Amino acid sequence: MDQRNATRLRVLEQIRTSGQISRIDIAASLQTSPATVTSATADLMAAGLIHETAGEASPDAAKRGRPRVLLELNANSNIIAGVKVARDVIMVMLVDFQGNELAQTQFRLTEPRMSAETLVVTIGRAVNEACETLGKNIADVSGIAIGLAGQVVAEQNFIYWSSSITENNVDLDPILSQQLPCPAFVENDANLVAKGEQLFGLGQGLQNFLVITIEHGVGLGIVLGGALYRGERGCGAEFGHTKVQLDGALCQCGQRGCLEAYVSDYALMREAVIAMQDDKPSSVADIRKSAEDGNPSAIAVLERASRMFGMGVSNLVNLFDPERIILSGRTSSIEHLCSEQVKEHIRNNVVQVDAPTPEILAHDWGGLMWAKGAAAYGIEQVSVLQVLEMNAHGA
């Protein structure tokens, strides 16, 4: 990206994060000249990505209360789809270019894993179904951001491994290009939750925080210095696959002793079905209810998960020393991991200094934080593509 496009993108991002902002305030925030900002905003307006709007009247009497001219993203310029692929459902959220929600749907899956091509075709059907609620179709979408569990190289749309795809080492880029009529971007789903928490949730205003996601698997999103950390190969932040016991329980990744094999939904169900022979549960909520009713087997299952989880989180604190740790997931999956007993275990296993340990908060996202985080990522990626296209059109 040349300097001119880099400046356009910085200006566009400043407008996006500010909501509404004047040219002079953009120049001050970016520490650049007003002339540079004026040139960049003129290009962005010509491309239809931003427009002017009237702000509050200026307090300067000499200007006779003339309203300030502010800039904001042109909400109608693009429709973005945020997609989360879960075990049994594809969640889709459609937003405008400002991030305002337009529609949301849930597309049921008959199989938890499928071939890469089948998955992409199914995602296309799910997005098109969401578009139909607006009287539109998938061809009206400017970009699709897809959240997948697994090891993802986001910059290349490459999947080393995912619990949603039957193959390993899949280059999704050509499949996405062949099967979808618009650009598509793939990212680790936990990273998208971190993006969602940063923009809309409990991470707002924080520079350094961690998001632990818990459902069928266990994920980690890391925000350092206000930016997502992905690792050199896209394999960083695999918190669920850190080892907590040598030759331990079997994980869905094929290895043994992973944290996920003790604290995820499938791990709890596996252990509880074995331990609770007389009262087999059908959900994690059933296990918790049995534990509350005093069932010793259910209590033992949850206590082991809590010990393993506390061990893992204390290691995260020692490694990153974040401002906040956010546990994101359904209440039934995370409530037993937010107990005072777990927090005390964490405090006892971190490096002891004369300062409080990071705040640990739970956030029941109800399924939509994933899709909203994906939509935010999609807006960023579509912005990059459309800025680059401006040169092709002679801007």
Side-chain angles (χ1 to χ4, degrees):
M1 183 177 292
D2 62 26
Q3 185 59 46
R4 188 178 183 187
N5 276 338
T7 299
R8 290 166 171 164
L9 195 59
R10 289 178 65 218
V11 169
L12 188 63
E13 178 64 13
Q14 186 63 49
I15 295 170
R16 186 182 73 80
T17 55
S18 301
Q20 295 181 340
I21 189 172
S22 68
R23 290 174 175 83
I24 193 67
D25 288 338
I26 295 173
S29 296
L30 299 182
Q31 298 183 327
T32 190
S33 71
T36 297
V37 171
T38 298
S39 175
T41 54
D43 294 340
L44 294 169
M45 288 179 65
L49 298 180
I50 64 172
H51 59 206
E52 293 181 337
T53 185
E56 296 179 359
S58 169
D60 188 345
K63 295 183 179 179
R64 305 190 179 196
R66 185 174 64 189
R68 300 171 65 208
V69 176
L70 303 179
L71 297 168
E72 66 179 8
L73 296 186
N74 180 4
N76 298 323
S77 62
N78 294 284
I79 296 175
I80 310 295
V83 174
K84 156 64 177 172
V85 180
R87 183 172 176 80
D88 55 2
V89 68
I90 293 177
M91 291 168 279
V92 180
M93 178 180 287
L94 300 180
V95 300
D96 64 24
F97 200 48
Q98 289 183 354
N100 302 308
E101 182 182 332
L102 302 175
Q104 57 174 274
T105 60
Q106 295 196 11
F107 188 92
R108 305 304 302 185
L109 296 175
T110 57
E111 297 290 338
R113 303 189 77 188
M114 59 193 78
S115 71
E117 184 166 355
T118 300
L119 178 61
V120 172
V121 170
T122 305
I123 288 171
R125 290 171 57 199
V127 173
N128 197 63
E129 186 176 281
C131 290
E132 287 175 350
T133 66
L134 300 176
K136 299 181 180 294
N137 61 58
I138 193 172
D140 297 311
V141 173
S142 298
I144 302 172
I146 302 164
L148 285 175
Q151 295 165 328
V152 179
V153 184
E155 296 86 352
Q156 301 172 25
N157 285 338
F158 186 88
I159 313 297
Y160 284 109
W161 174 86
S162 171
S163 56
S164 297
I165 298 176
T166 53
E167 310 102 309
N168 291 343
N169 301 315
V170 179
D171 183 0
L172 271 188
D173 217 34
I175 302 174
L176 294 168
S177 299
Q178 291 163 11
Q179 300 295 338
L180 300 176
C182 62
F185 323 98
V186 181
E187 176 61 282
N188 173 271
D189 55 0
N191 283 344
L192 294 181
V193 177
K195 176 61 69 175
E197 292 285 7
Q198 183 181 38
L199 297 179
F200 313 115
L202 300 179
Q204 292 182 82
L206 301 182
Q207 288 294 301
N208 303 290
F209 67 93
L210 307 177
V211 178
I212 301 171
T213 61
I214 301 173
E215 49 162 15
H216 185 70
V218 177
L220 175 67
I222 302 171
V223 174
L224 298 177
L228 276 175
Y229 174 77
R230 293 184 174 92
E232 183 65 27
R233 301 172 299 154
C235 298
E238 285 296 332
F239 179 51
H241 301 292
T242 55
K243 302 302 180 283
V244 293
Q245 186 167 323
L246 291 176
D247 300 320
L250 181 64
C251 178
Q252 65 175 349
C253 73
Q255 296 188 1
R256 290 187 174 274
C258 297
L259 176 67
E260 181 177 294
Y262 294 93
V263 304
S264 67
D265 286 2
Y266 78 83
L268 291 178
M269 289 300 298
R270 179 177 61 193
E271 294 302 311
V273 166
I274 295 172
M276 300 167 62
Q277 291 292 327
D278 298 329
D279 188 20
K280 292 185 179 179
S282 59
S283 68
V284 174
D286 288 346
I287 302 172
R288 290 183 53 247
K289 177 64 167 56
S290 293
E292 290 167 2
D293 291 342
N295 185 306
S297 297
I299 292 172
V301 168
L302 294 182
E303 283 185 346
R304 185 173 75 155
S306 298
R307 287 196 306 273
M308 294 296 190
F309 184 71
M311 182 192 309
V313 173
S314 62
N315 287 332
L316 289 181
V317 175
N318 288 334
L319 284 170
F320 294 103
D321 189 25
E323 298 171 73
R324 178 176 292 169
I325 295 176
I326 303 166
L327 307 186
S328 189
R330 295 183 300 273
T331 298
S332 62
S333 296
I334 63 177
E335 191 170 33
H336 60 284
L337 301 177
C338 302
S339 68
E340 189 56 38
Q341 181 182 9
V342 173
K343 292 179 181 179
E344 183 65 22
H345 184 79
I346 293 169
R347 286 192 289 267
N348 291 338
N349 285 279
V350 300
V351 174
Q352 300 298 311
V353 294
D354 246 353
T357 54
E359 187 177 28
I360 300 175
L361 300 177
H363 190 180
D364 184 346
W365 41 265
L368 291 179
M369 184 61 73
W370 305 84
K372 194 157 189 176
Y377 179 62
I379 291 173
E380 292 180 350
Q381 296 305 303
V382 167
S383 298
V384 172
L385 290 181
Q386 296 193 351
V387 165
L388 290 174
E389 288 174 1
M390 291 166 62
N391 275 4
H393 294 107

